[in-house]
Each structure stands twice: as C-alpha cells, then as structure tokens.
Amino acid sequence: MLRTIDRNATREQWLDHGCFVNNIILASNAFAMSACVIGDFQGLEACIEPSFAMASDEEITIGIGIGYADRARERMTERRPLEVFSEFHWH
C-alpha cells in the first residue's frame, strides 16, 4: 500500500495521516497479519508515480507492506533490559 498526501499539507493533516497509517498497522495485526513500513522513496518517485493515478499536487509519504509473516524464518535477537538505557520519571 502506498500513502500520499497533498504537497501543501498542514501540520494537522500530517498528524492525521500518521494516525491513519498507525491504525492500518494495528488493523493488520488484528487480522493476524504483519506490516512493514517503508519510508524512503527518495529518488524513486519518477519510477513509482507513473504506475499510479496520482494528482500532481500529491506526494508519496510511506509504503506499507502487509501480509502473513513467515514465522519459520523469524528469530528474536537478544535485547538489553529497558532499564539499562532508559530512565522513567512517573509523577
């Protein structure tokens, strides 16, 4: 999935756009699928945009790959405990 936004979008529109993308990712998990966010299209617009019916005032912001993860190839890397590199101050 490719998402676009008006080239003159306001800060509020960008916020809404980000919330929409986040909800798509959460929804994919709700349907037992995985999502992979792709954010770097710099230099590829000329290759991608002709394949889609995009208005000239739109720009590609993000791609989202959605599908079923290959759990057989999945591996979890070792993680340091959160407390090692974070500090929380609760009021």
Side-chain angles (χ1 to χ4, degrees), residues 29-69:
N29 278 326
F31 286 94
M33 296 193 307
S34 297
C36 179
V37 176
I38 306 156
D40 185 9
F41 290 96
Q42 195 166 19
L44 298 174
E45 295 90 347
C47 299
I48 297 170
E49 290 175 1
S51 301
F52 297 91
M54 289 177 52
S56 62
D57 61 346
E58 287 182 295
E59 66 177 306
I60 298 171
T61 58
I62 200 163
I64 309 170
I66 300 174
Y68 296 99

